[in-house]
C-alpha cells in the first residue's frame, strides 16, 4: 500500500512559490483590495464589538430617526436604536449566513460530485440527472420557491440557498474527477487497490481544489446578497433581527427623508459582496492558465 | 438539414426539462408545512369536513397519482387558483406578465448598450487603468443589492432631484394605452399617443436602470473574456500583418466573433433579470409578476408562488433554447458540421 | 523617416536591414534575452533563409521586422530595424500600417487559424486589398481572383465563396500567399509557412512561392527549421542559435563548407546524410536558458570543439573562405582570419 499512501498524500505536491505569488498579486491590485476589505469587515463585525460596549437593541425614543451624527454614525431607526451598532451586529448574521451556506453547499456538493465521479456507473448517472433537474429551474427562482415553501425564517432561507447551490459544486467536482480518473497516477493507484475514499482525497486536495475555492469565494458574496434579498421580501430573517436585508426592508418606508436607514445597511451588503467578488475574481485569474504571465 | 436535426434534438430536450421542472415544483409544493385541507377548512372545522376537502383535492391519493393529476393540469394550462385574488393563477400571470416583460427587455437593452463597450475596452486595454475601473464597476454592479440600489435611485432622482417619478408604470392622471401587446411603450406608439409614451418612458427609466445595472457587470465580463480569446487568435495577427488598422480588427473582426459565444450569456442574463424583477418591481410599485409573487409570498399564497415558478422556469428554458438556436445560426462552422 | 519608391531601389539596397539588434522580454525574475546582437539583411529579389531550432529567435525576428510585437512587451537593448527605409522600432502605427500588407507582407505557420473562421475567404481578401488600393468592390474581387489564379488555384471564384474551414491546409496557405502578393510587395516574410502541411504539399507550396517571388522580383525572408528547405529554396542563409546569428553566407557555401560547429552538427544530424542503420547524430545537451544567457559563445556547452576562450567572450564574426560567408566562432578566429 506504500504507493497508494504516497499518492494520497497531497502535501508532497503543494508547493507555494511566495515570490511568484507576490509578483502576480502586484499585477492584480483588485484582488489585494478585496482581501483587505474582507479582513476589515470581519474585524469590524466580529472583533470590534467585543471591545466597544454597544447594544444593538437599545431603544432610545428621544432620538428616533436621527440623522447621522457623531453620536450615531449611521443615524438611528424608528425606535432610536443606533444603526451603526445594528449594522455591525447584523453583519455577524449576514456574513455568518454567507459562510455557513457555502460550507454546506460546497461541502456536500464536493463530496457528492467526487463520489459520483469516482464510483461512476449508474450512481453517477442518477446523481447527475437529479442535479440536472434541479438546475433546470433558474436557481434564484427555485430558492425563492423553496424558501417560501419552507416558511419564513432565517434558517429556512439558509437551507434553501444552500440546497440550490449544491448542483453547481457537484458538476464542478465531477468534471474534474472524470478527467483525473483517466490520468495515469489515479489508474495506478486503483491497480494497487485504493478505494474510492482514498482516490477522492487525492484529487480533491491537489487538483480540483483551486476552482472550488474560487467558486466558494464568489458564492459567499452571492449568498449574502441572496439572504438579504430574501429577508427584504420577508422570507429570511424576521424583524427585529438586525440582519442587513431586513433593515433595508424596514427602512424602505422612510427612504425619502431618512435615507440612512436603508442606505447604510445596503451599503454594507454592497461593500461585503464587492470584497468577495474582487477576491474571487482575482483568485480565478491567478489559476487561469490563459492569464499565466510570460 | 443538420440544423433541423439539432432543432429536433433540442426540442426533445426542452420537453425533458419541462418535465423536470414540473417534478421539482411538485416536490416543493409538498414540502410546505401544514395541511392544505385544514388551511382551507379553517381551524374550527370538524375532521370530517377536513377529510372531505382532502378527498376533493385529491390529497388522499398516492403521491405518484397526485403528480399525474398535477402534470395533467399543467398540460391544460391549469395552474390552480390563487388564494389571495381568487382568480385562476394562469389568468393572473397573463395579466401581469407583459409589464414584467417590458421591464426586462428595456433593462436588457440598457445592460447590453452599457456592458458591451465596457467589455471591449477592458479587453483591448487589459490591465491598464480603464480595465481596472471597468472591472470594478462591473463587480459593483453584480454585488449591489438590487433592492437597495432602487431605493437609493428613488431617493436621489425622485426624492431630491424630481427628475423621474417614484413608481408605477404611467402617470396616474393619464389613461393607459389600449392593450395590444401589453407593452405600454409599444401600445402608446401604436395608438399615436405621445403623452402616454413619454410618461411610460419616464416611469420605466429608473426601474430598468436598477434592474439592468446588475447585469452590466455580467455582460461586460463575458465580452471581456470572449474578446481576450479572440484577440489571441491567429487571424487577428494575420489581419494586422495585412495592414488593417487596430480599430478595424477589433471592432470589425474580433468583436463580431466574440459576440457569437456571448449570445448564450443572454439566456442566463434573462433568468437573472426575471428574478431581479421580483425585487425591483416591489420597490417601484411596478404591477408585474414580481410584484404579484412577492404579495403572494407574503400572503402565503402557494398556488400562486408555484404557478410563478413554473411559468418563469418554462420561459427561461424557452429563451435559452432560442439563444442556443441563434448561436447555431450565427456560427457558420457549426451549421455545417451539424 | 522616408519610404523609398520602388523605382529608386538599387539592386543591392537592403529592403530589410536589421543591425546589432538586442531585445529582451521582461518576465518574472528578470528578462529573457530573445535576441542578442542579431544582424541580418534581405536584398531585392533574393530568397534568404533563416534557420535554427525552436526558440532560437527566428520568429521573434520576423514579428519585429513588421512591428507586430506590442511595444510595451519588450525592451530594446541595442540595435535598429530598417524596413524599406522606415525605422520600425520608432515608427508610428499608421506608418507601419501603410507598409504591412502592401509593400511588406507576411505569412505565418498555421494556415488553419490564420483566417477569420466566420467570414468568407473572398470577403477577407477584398477587405485587405481595398485597404491599400483605391478600388471598388468589383475591381478588388477581380484582383483577388487573379492573385488566386497565380497560385494555381483553379476555381478561384468558387474558393472565394468558401469559408476557411472548407479548404484544405495547402489551399489555405496558397490563398494567404496570394493575398500577400496582391499588394505587390517588395519583401515577403514567410514564418515557417509549410511546417504545418503535409510533406508533398510543402513542396508544391514552396515551389509556387518561389516562382511567384522570382516573377515579381519580390525578396523573401524564409524562416524554417528544415535544412532541406533551405538547400532547395534559398539563395542565402542565416543560421541562428539561442538568439544569435552564428553563421551567414550563400546557401551553397554554408551547406557545402559549414564553418560553425552548430551548423555542422545540424547537417550531420540530417537523416539524408546518415549511413543506413546507424543511429542519428543528435546534438547533446539542450538550448541555454535565455533568462541567463552564457557569457561566452552560446553553443560552447554543447560544442565538441569548445576551448577555454569559447566560454569567456562571445565570438566575433570571422570570414571563412568565400566572400560573404561568415561565422561567429573562436575556432575560425583563431585560425587567423578576421572580418
Amino acid at each position: 500500500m506504500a504507493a497508494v499512501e504516497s499518492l494520497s498524500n497531497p502535501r508532497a505536491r503543494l508547493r507555494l512559490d511566495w515570490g511568484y505569488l507576490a509578483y502576480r498579486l502586484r499585477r492584480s491590485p483588485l484582488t489585494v483590495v478585496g482581501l483587505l476589505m474582507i479582513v476589515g469587515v470581519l474585524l469590524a463585525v466580529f472583533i470590534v464589538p467585543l471591545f466597544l460596549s454597544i447594544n444593538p437593541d437599545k431603544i432610545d425614543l428621544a432620538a428616533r430617526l436621527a440623522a447621522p451624527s457623531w453620536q450615531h454614525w449611521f443615524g438611528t431607526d424608528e425606535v432610536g436604536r443606533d444603526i451603526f451598532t445594528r449594522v455591525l451586529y447584523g453583519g455577524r448574521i449576514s456574513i455568518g449566513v454567507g459562510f455557513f451556506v457555502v460550507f454546506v453547499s460546497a461541502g456536500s456538493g464536493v463530496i457528492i460530485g467526487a463520489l459520483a465521479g469516482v464510483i461512476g456507473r449508474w450512481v453517477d448517472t442518477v446523481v447527475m440527472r437529479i442535479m440536472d433537474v434541479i438546475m433546470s429551474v433558474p436557481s434564484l427562482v427555485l430558492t425563492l420557491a423553496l424558501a417560501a415553501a419552507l416558511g419564513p425564517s432565517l434558517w429556512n432561507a439558509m437551507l434553501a440557498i444552500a440546497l440550490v447551490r449544491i448542483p453547481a459544486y457537484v458538476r464542478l467536482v465531477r468534471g474534474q474527477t472524470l478527467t483525473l480518473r483517466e490520468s495515469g497516477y489515479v489508474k495506478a493507484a486503483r491497480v494497487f487497490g485504493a478505494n474510492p475514499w482514498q482516490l477522492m482525497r487525492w484529487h480533491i486536495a491537489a487538483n480540483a481544489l483551486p476552482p472550488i475555492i474560487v467558486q466558494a469565494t464568489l458564492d459567499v458574496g452571492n449568498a449574502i446578497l441572496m439572504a438579504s434579498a430574501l429577508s427584504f421580501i420577508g422570507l429570511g430573517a424576521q424583524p427585529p433581527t438586525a440582519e442587513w436585508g431586513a433593515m433595508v426592508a424596514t427602512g424602505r418606508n422612510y427612504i425619502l427623508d431618512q435615507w440612512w436607514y436603508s442606505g447604510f445597511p445596503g451599503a454594507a451588503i454592497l461593500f461585503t459582496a464587492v470584497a468577495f467578488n474582487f477576491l474571487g475574481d482575482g483568485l480565478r485569474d491567478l489559476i487561469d492558465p490563459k492569464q499565466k504571465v510570460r | 438539414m443538420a440544423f433541423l436535426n439539432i432543432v429536433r434534438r433540442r426540442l426533445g430536450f426542452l420537453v425533458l426539462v419541462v418535465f423536470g421542472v414540473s417534478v421539482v415544483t411538485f416536490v416543493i409544493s409538498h414540502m410546505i408545512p401544514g395541511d392544505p385541507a385544514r388551511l382551507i377548512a379553517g381551524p374550527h372545522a370538524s375532521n370530517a369536513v377536513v377529510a372531505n376537502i382532502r378527498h376533493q383535492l385529491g390529497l388522499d391519493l398516492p403521491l405518484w397519482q397526485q403528480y399525474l393529476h398535477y402534470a395533467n393540469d399543467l398540460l391544460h394550462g391549469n395552474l390552480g387558483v390563487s388564494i389571495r385574488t381568487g382568480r385562476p393563477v394562469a389568468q393572473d400571470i397573463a395579466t401581469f406578465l407583459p409589464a414584467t416583460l417590458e421591464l426586462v427587455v428595456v433593462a436588457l437593452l440598457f445592460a447590453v448598450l452599457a456592458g458591451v463597450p465596457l467589455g471591449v475596452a477592458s479587453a483591448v486595454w487589459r490591465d491598464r487603468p480603464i480595465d481596472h475601473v471597468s472591472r470594478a464597476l462591473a463587480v459593483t454592479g453584480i454585488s449591489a443589492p438590487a433592492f437597495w440600489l432602487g431605493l437609493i435611485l428613488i431617493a436621489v432622482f425622485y426624492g431630491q432631484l424630481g427628475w423621474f417619478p417614484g413608481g408605477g408604470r404611467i402617470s396616474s392622471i393619464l389613461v393607459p394605452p389600449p392593450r395590444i401587446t401589453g407593452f405600454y411603450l409599444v401600445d402608446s406608439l401604436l395608438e399615436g399617443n405621445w403623452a402616454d409614451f413619454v410618461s411610460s418612458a419616464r416611469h420605466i427609466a429608473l426601474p430598468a436602470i436598477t434592474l439592468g445595472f446588475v447585469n452590466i457587470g455580467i455582460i461586460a465580463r463575458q465580452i471581456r473574456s470572449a474578446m481576450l480569446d479572440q484577440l489571441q487568435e491567429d487571424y487577428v495577427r494575420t489581419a494586422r500583418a495585412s495592414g488593417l488598422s487596430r480599430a478595424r480588427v477589433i471592432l470589425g473582426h474580433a468583436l463580431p466573433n466574440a459576440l457569437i459565444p456571448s449570445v448564450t450569456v443572454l439566456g442566463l442574463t434573462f433568468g437573472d433579470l426575471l428574478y431581479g424583477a421580483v425585487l425591483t418591481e416591489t420597490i417601484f410599485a411596478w404591477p408585474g409578476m414580481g410584484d404579484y409573487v412577492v404579495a403572494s409570498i407574503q400572503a402565503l399564497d402557494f398556488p400562486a408562488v408555484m404557478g410563478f415558478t413554473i411559468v418563469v422556469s418554462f420561459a427561461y428554458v424557452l429563451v435559452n433554447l432560442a439563444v442556443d438556436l441563434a448561436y447555431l445560426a450565427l456560427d457558420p462552422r457549426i451549421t455545417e458540421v451539424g | 523617416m522616408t519610404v523609398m519608391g520602388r523605382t529608386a531601389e538599387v539592386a543591392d539596397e537592403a529592403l530589410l536591414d536589421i543591425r546589432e539588434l538586442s531585445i529582451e522580454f521582461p518576465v518574472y525574475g528578470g528578462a529573457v534575452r530573445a535576441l542578442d546582437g542579431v544582424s541580418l539583411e534581405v536584398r531585392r529579389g533574393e530568397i534568404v533563409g533563416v534557420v535554427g531550432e525552436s526558440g532560437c529567435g527566428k520568429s521573434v525576428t520576423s514579428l519585429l521586422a513588421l512591428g507586430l510585437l506590442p511595444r510595451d512587451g519588450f525592451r530594446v537593448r541595442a540595435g535598429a530595424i530598417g524596413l524599406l527605409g522606415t525605422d520600425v522600432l520608432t515608427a508610428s502605427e499608421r506608418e507601419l500600417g501603410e507598409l504591412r500588407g502592401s509593400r511588406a507582407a507576411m505569412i505565418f505557420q498555421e494556415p488553419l487559424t490564420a483566417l477569420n473562421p466566420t467570414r468568407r475567404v473572398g470577403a477577407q481578401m477584398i477587405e485587405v486589398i481595398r485597404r491599400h488600393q483605391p478600388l471598388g468592390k468589383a475591381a478588388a474581387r477581380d484582383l483577388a481572383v487573379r492573385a488566386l489564379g497565380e497560385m494555381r488555384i483553379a476555381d478561384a471564384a468558387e474558393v472565394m465563396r468558401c469559408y476557411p474551414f472548407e479548404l484544405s491546409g495547402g489551399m489555405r496557405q496558397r490563398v494567404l500567399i496570394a493575398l500577400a502578393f496582391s499588394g505587390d510587395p517588395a519583401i515577403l516574410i514567410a514564418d515557417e509557412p509549410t511546417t504545418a502541411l503535409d510533406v508533398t504539399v510543402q513542396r508544391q507550396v514552396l515551389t509556387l512561392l518561389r516562382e511567384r517571388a522570382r516573377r515579381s522580383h519580390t525578396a523573401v525572408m524564409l524562416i524554417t527549421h528544415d535544412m532541406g528547405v533551405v538547400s532547395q529554396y534559398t539563395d542565402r542563409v542565416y543560421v541562428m542559435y539561442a538568439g544569435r546569428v552564428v553563421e551567414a553566407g550563400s546557401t551553397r557555401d554554408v551547406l557545402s563548407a559549414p564553418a560553425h560547429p552548430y551548423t555542422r552538427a545540424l547537417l550531420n544530424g540530417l537523416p539524408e546524410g546518415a549511413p543506413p542503420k546507424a543511429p542519428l547524430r543528435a546534438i547533446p545537451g539542450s538550448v541555454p536558458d535565455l533568462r541567463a544567457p552564457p557569457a561566452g559563445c552560446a553553443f560552447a556547452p554543447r560544442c565538441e570543439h569548445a576551448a577555454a576562450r569559447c566560454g569567456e567572450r562571445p565570438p566575433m564574426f570571422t570570414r571563412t573562405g568565400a566572400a560573404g560567408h561568415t561565422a561567429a566562432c573562436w575556432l575560425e578566429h583563431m585560425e587567423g582570419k578576421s572580418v
Side-chain angles (χ1 to χ4, degrees):
Chain A
M1 284 300 114
V4 175
E5 286 314 305
S6 66
L7 276 179
S8 60
N9 177 9
R11 245 165 274 264
R13 289 258 309 215
L14 290 173
R15 263 169 290 115
L16 209 50
D17 182 351
W18 292 106
Y20 185 59
L21 185 64
Y23 173 69
R24 293 297 299 277
L25 282 180
R26 238 178 297 133
R27 301 183 113 246
S28 180
L30 292 179
T31 318
V32 180
V33 168
L35 192 58
L36 290 174
M37 285 166 77
I38 292 175
V39 168
V41 167
L42 288 176
L43 279 175
V45 155
F46 287 108
I47 311 290
V48 167
L50 296 176
F51 294 98
L52 301 174
S53 55
I54 43 179
N55 185 350
D57 299 317
K58 179 157 174 284
I59 296 183
D60 178 8
L61 291 172
R64 294 165 50 193
L65 298 172
S69 63
W70 283 117
Q71 286 161 306
H72 298 284
W73 292 355
F74 285 1
T76 60
D77 65 5
E78 77 277 16
V79 285
R81 290 176 294 207
D82 179 37
I83 292 184
F84 178 69
T85 318
R86 283 175 72 74
V87 165
L88 285 189
Y89 274 86
R92 292 183 171 188
I93 300 176
S94 295
I95 296 178
V97 166
F99 280 114
F100 176 79
V101 162
V102 166
F103 182 72
V104 167
S105 58
S108 351
V110 160
I111 293 179
I112 296 175
L115 279 176
V118 162
I119 297 180
R121 300 285 106 179
W122 64 269
V123 169
D124 181 37
T125 321
V126 163
V127 166
M128 287 321 288
R129 285 313 129 233
I130 297 178
M131 295 301 138
D132 282 344
V133 161
I134 299 180
M135 286 186 98
S136 62
V137 182
S139 64
L140 312 169
V141 171
L142 185 59
T143 315
L144 197 68
L146 197 52
L150 293 173
S153 88
L154 187 59
W155 175 251
N156 287 343
M158 287 199 286
L159 203 59
I161 302 173
L163 280 176
V164 172
R165 268 325 262 170
I166 289 179
Y169 289 99
V170 171
R171 253 201 207 172
L172 189 61
V173 174
R174 178 184 168 267
Q176 298 269 10
T177 316
L178 282 182
T179 332
L180 293 168
R181 192 172 63 169
E182 300 308 311
S183 66
Y185 56 87
V186 173
K187 279 189 161 155
R190 270 186 133 141
V191 164
F192 281 101
N195 65 45
W197 281 102
Q198 288 171 311
L199 290 176
M200 201 172 81
R201 258 175 61 208
W202 169 237
H203 14 75
I204 291 176
N207 284 297
L209 209 49
I212 294 175
I213 293 181
V214 168
Q215 190 60 51
T217 310
L218 291 170
D219 269 357
V220 174
N222 287 338
I224 295 176
L225 274 171
M226 178 69 85
S228 60
L230 287 176
S231 303
F232 181 79
I233 300 180
L235 279 178
Q238 303 297 306
T241 324
E243 196 264 350
W244 288 341
M247 287 170 74
V248 175
T250 333
R252 180 183 166 194
N253 303 319
Y254 308 98
I255 188 63
L256 291 175
D257 292 313
Q258 287 87 26
W259 55 270
W260 55 87
Y261 197 151
S262 291
F264 286 109
I269 303 174
L270 173 64
F271 187 85
T272 314
V274 164
F276 278 100
N277 272 318
F278 275 169
L279 185 60
D281 274 350
L283 288 177
R284 186 201 281 141
D285 281 352
L286 274 176
I287 65 168
D288 180 1
K290 268 197 300 255
Q291 288 261 11
K292 286 245 147 77
V293 183
R294 326 152 272 225
Chain B
M1 186 49 218
F3 190 69
L4 280 176
N5 277 337
I6 296 174
V7 173
R8 227 176 291 150
R9 233 185 305 146
R10 302 302 256 107
L11 278 175
F13 187 65
L14 176 76
V15 168
L16 277 171
V17 171
V18 169
F19 167 69
V21 168
S22 67
V23 169
V24 169
T25 47
F26 179 73
V27 166
I28 292 180
S29 52
H30 279 262
M31 290 169 82
I32 299 170
D35 182 359
R38 162 73 50 194
L39 275 171
I40 294 176
H44 303 295
S46 70
N47 288 346
V49 173
V50 173
N52 195 12
I53 295 180
R54 187 174 294 131
H55 180 73
Q56 277 185 353
L57 289 176
L59 290 172
D60 50 353
L61 291 171
L63 219 55
W64 64 270
Q65 271 191 341
Q66 289 192 44
Y67 174 71
L68 286 178
H69 282 288
Y70 180 69
N72 189 39
D73 282 343
L74 286 184
L75 282 172
H76 288 95
N78 180 1
L79 295 168
V81 175
S82 163
I83 297 175
R84 186 174 58 102
T85 67
R87 289 192 299 259
V89 170
Q91 188 186 341
D92 276 344
I93 290 182
T95 316
F96 294 111
L97 188 56
T100 304
L101 281 181
E102 187 179 20
L103 181 59
V104 164
V105 166
V106 175
L108 188 60
L109 264 168
F110 168 68
V112 166
L113 287 174
V116 169
L118 212 57
V120 171
S122 254
V124 168
W125 289 294
R126 179 173 143 181
D127 286 341
R128 307 265 190 82
I130 177 107
D131 183 17
H132 291 303
V133 163
S134 112
R135 285 168 83 182
L137 203 69
V139 168
T140 313
I142 299 174
S143 321
F147 50 92
W148 172 81
L149 185 64
L151 286 175
I152 299 293
L153 285 180
I154 289 180
V156 172
F157 288 100
Y158 169 63
Q160 300 294 330
L161 295 171
W163 288 355
F164 290 101
R169 282 185 87 181
I170 195 169
S171 170
S172 39
I173 55 172
L174 291 173
V175 175
R179 188 190 164 104
I180 309 172
T181 62
F183 287 29
Y184 280 21
L185 289 172
V186 173
D187 290 343
S188 53
L189 279 180
L190 288 176
E191 199 202 1
N193 188 336
W194 188 243
D196 268 5
F197 180 75
V198 169
S199 179
S200 304
R202 288 186 70 222
H203 276 83
I204 207 173
L206 284 186
I209 291 176
T210 307
L211 191 53
F213 190 76
V214 173
N215 285 284
I216 293 180
I218 296 177
I219 292 178
R221 246 193 219 170
Q222 167 62 29
I223 296 286
R224 178 183 188 273
S225 171
M227 280 295 289
L228 285 177
D229 281 345
Q230 291 303 317
L231 289 174
Q232 286 185 345
E233 289 285 324
D234 287 344
Y235 73 82
V236 167
R237 189 179 54 173
T238 308
R240 304 271 292 118
S242 305
L244 297 180
S245 71
R246 288 193 71 195
R248 194 172 172 113
V249 172
I250 292 170
L251 297 175
H253 283 268
L255 181 57
N257 281 7
L259 284 175
I260 296 177
S262 305
V263 148
T264 51
V265 126
L266 278 181
L268 297 173
T269 311
F270 184 75
D272 280 346
L273 287 174
L274 279 178
Y275 167 75
V278 170
L279 300 169
T280 316
E281 287 181 12
T282 324
I283 298 169
F284 288 95
W286 189 267
M289 281 212 310
D291 186 55
Y292 175 76
V293 83
V294 169
S296 304
I297 288 175
Q298 285 163 347
L300 301 181
D301 185 354
F302 295 111
V305 174
M306 290 305 135
F308 168 82
T309 309
I310 294 173
V311 167
V312 165
S313 307
F314 189 67
Y316 182 63
V317 169
L318 268 181
V319 166
N320 271 305
L321 176 66
V323 155
D324 282 344
L325 291 178
Y327 179 52
L328 290 176
L330 283 173
D331 191 338
R333 287 172 289 187
I334 298 187
T335 323
E336 284 299 325
V337 173
Chain C
M1 277 174 274
T2 55
V3 176
M4 302 210 203
R6 199 98 152 90
T7 47
E9 275 152 10
V10 180
D12 34 303
E13 185 72 46
L15 300 177
L16 173 63
D17 188 5
I18 301 179
R19 261 182 243 146
E20 296 291 322
L21 189 62
S22 295
I23 298 275
E24 61 184 22
F25 294 109
V27 292
Y28 168 65
V32 171
R33 253 319 159 80
L35 295 180
D36 195 352
V38 169
S39 288
L40 88 75
E41 59 179 28
V42 178
R43 296 188 279 261
R44 175 160 147 78
E46 60 175 357
I47 300 183
V48 172
V50 177
V51 70
E53 50 195 309
S54 316
C56 70
K58 48 195 207 291
S59 287
V60 169
T61 309
S62 64
L63 289 172
L64 282 169
L66 248 55
L68 286 173
L69 287 180
R71 277 215 189 117
D72 51 2
F74 65 90
R75 275 199 292 261
V76 179
R77 293 201 73 89
I81 304 178
L83 177 68
L84 300 170
T86 307
D87 181 350
V88 173
L89 294 174
T90 59
S92 69
E93 258 309 295
R94 202 160 43 89
E95 287 170 307
L96 291 173
E98 285 298 314
L99 287 177
R100 292 185 203 130
S102 61
R103 308 195 47 245
M106 184 159 177
I107 55 175
F108 302 93
Q109 186 173 333
E110 276 287 350
L112 183 71
T113 48
L115 288 168
N116 188 339
T118 59
R119 302 278 172 82
R120 296 183 204 268
V121 166
Q124 297 188 52
M125 289 183 75
I126 291 173
E127 182 183 29
V128 170
I129 291 172
R130 293 183 77 193
R131 189 266 180 250
H132 293 291
Q133 303 175 48
L135 294 174
K137 265 213 188 144
R141 179 172 300 124
D142 289 339
L143 200 142
V145 169
R146 244 180 299 141
L148 289 176
E150 281 170 1
M151 292 306 291
R152 307 279 172 81
I153 292 179
D155 310 308
E158 185 58 43
V159 165
M160 284 183 50
R161 267 197 295 271
C162 288
Y163 286 99
F165 63 86
E166 293 172 316
L167 305 172
S168 71
M171 180 83 97
R172 250 174 266 150
Q173 197 61 297
R174 281 189 281 164
V175 165
L176 287 163
I177 297 175
L179 185 58
F181 276 107
S182 70
D184 195 18
I187 176 171
L188 170 69
I189 300 180
D191 186 355
E192 308 218 38
T194 54
T195 307
L197 303 174
D198 286 340
V199 172
T200 43
V201 179
Q202 273 187 33
R203 299 203 77 157
Q204 206 181 41
V205 171
L206 284 173
T207 311
L208 272 173
L209 174 60
R210 179 179 52 191
E211 238 179 62
R212 182 68 183 80
R214 293 283 192 230
R215 205 154 8 113
S216 55
H217 293 291
T218 303
V220 177
M221 177 168 148
L222 182 57
I223 296 164
T224 178
H225 62 262
D226 188 340
M227 277 304 204
V229 166
V230 167
S231 76
Q232 288 178 36
Y233 294 96
T234 65
D235 304 322
R236 284 196 303 124
V237 66
Y238 289 90
V239 181
M240 285 186 73
Y241 180 76
R244 304 174 195 181
V245 173
V246 297
E247 186 159 359
S250 78
T251 309
R252 201 161 23 129
D253 290 341
V254 172
L255 258 50
S256 58
H260 196 280
Y262 177 60
T263 318
R264 262 183 252 143
L266 277 183
L267 289 167
N268 274 344
L270 287 178
E272 287 82 25
K277 301 238 181 127
L280 289 177
R281 322 255 305 272
I283 309 175
S286 55
V287 180
D289 183 351
L290 291 177
R291 276 180 292 191
C297 170
F299 188 61
R302 304 167 77 182
C303 180
E304 45 183 28
H305 306 293
R309 196 173 193 194
C310 299
E312 288 163 19
R313 287 183 321 155
M316 299 184 305
F317 269 96
T318 343
R319 190 154 45 117
T320 80
H325 184 180
T326 56
C329 181
W330 286 123
L331 298 173
E332 285 296 315
H333 194 72
M334 288 191 294
E335 271 154 48
K337 306 164 211 153
S338 52
V339 146

